[in-house]
């Protein structure tokens, strides 16, 4: 079994994975051709050409804090189809070209405004507002029974005793 080589043994071509970021930017994951992560900063340059001939670049890519060998452009394209090329200079001379569909950034969902405690105190919650007619009707039925019940009892008592 061969022993692993030292870190300096990674000189040579890089593996560059280029993709759109879901909006109007580009992301690049760079690693050594053998799959090992980069130990040092690598200078990458990007150029892009739209289907209608518009061009962007060359733009030097900056590493991001999202991981070793991860680069991003931020918003540099306009919506549409683009042919994007990323190059690394010597000693890691590499180049990759991909087609990317840039899209308008999605807007965040509308925020529901927060209701203050004072506003909640002004207007009763919907659940309470919908049950009060039922409660009022129930109280009305109870009131009718409370008034009519004694009268019905007196009437029945008179019928049993024979008093008119």
């Amino acid at each position: 079994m061969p022993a692993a080589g030292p870190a300096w043994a990674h000189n040579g071509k890089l593996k560059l994975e280029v993709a759109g970021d879901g909006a109007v930017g580009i992301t690049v994951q760079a690693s050594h051709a053998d799959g090992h992560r980069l130990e040092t900063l690598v200078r990458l340059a990007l150029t892009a050409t739209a289907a209608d001939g518009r061009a962007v670049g060359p733009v030097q890519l900056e590493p991001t804090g999202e991981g070793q060998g991860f680069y991003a452009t931020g918003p540099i394209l306009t919506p549409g189809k683009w042919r994007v090329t990323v190059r690394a200079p010597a000693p890691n001379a590499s180049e990759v070209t991909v087609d990317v569909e840039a899209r308008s950034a999605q807007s965040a969902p509308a925020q529901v405004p927060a209701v203050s405690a004072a506003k909640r105190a002004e207007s009763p919650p919907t659940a309470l507002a919908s049950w009060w007619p039922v409660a009022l009707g129930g109280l009305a039925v109870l009131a009718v029974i409370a008034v009519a019940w004694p009268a019905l009892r007196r009437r029945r008592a008179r019928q049993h005793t024979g008093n008119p």
Side-chain angles (χ1 to χ4, degrees):
M1 179 170 169
W8 55 265
H10 289 296
N11 288 339
K13 289 192 171 237
L14 296 178
K15 178 181 176 186
L16 302 173
E17 297 177 42
V18 180
D21 67 359
V24 290
I26 301 296
T27 60
V28 178
Q29 177 66 55
S31 61
H32 292 286
D34 62 6
H36 287 104
R37 295 187 329 174
L38 297 177
E39 298 86 26
T40 61
L41 175 69
V42 176
R43 300 243 181 239
L44 298 178
L46 174 141
T47 57
T49 305
D52 64 4
R54 292 173 287 147
V56 172
V59 174
Q60 183 173 324
L61 300 178
E62 297 296 326
T64 67
E66 296 185 34
Q68 199 168 1
F70 192 76
Y71 297 77
T73 63
I76 64 167
L77 305 176
T78 56
K81 294 182 187 277
W82 291 82
R83 177 149 276 220
V84 177
T85 301
V86 176
R87 292 179 181 90
N92 301 350
S94 302
E95 179 178 313
V96 67
T97 300
V98 298
D99 292 326
V100 172
E101 176 84 27
R103 297 184 176 107
S104 297
Q106 298 293 316
S107 60
Q111 296 293 324
V112 176
V115 179
S116 68
K119 184 73 175 169
R120 283 191 302 265
E122 285 177 17
S123 60
T126 306
L128 292 176
S130 64
W131 71 267
W132 74 265
V134 175
L136 188 58
L139 287 175
V141 169
L142 288 175
V144 168
I145 291 171
V147 170
W149 187 259
L152 285 173
R153 287 187 64 171
R154 280 191 302 254
R155 187 173 183 192
R156 284 190 180 198
R158 281 188 217 142
Q159 286 177 352
H160 288 306
T161 59
N163 291 338

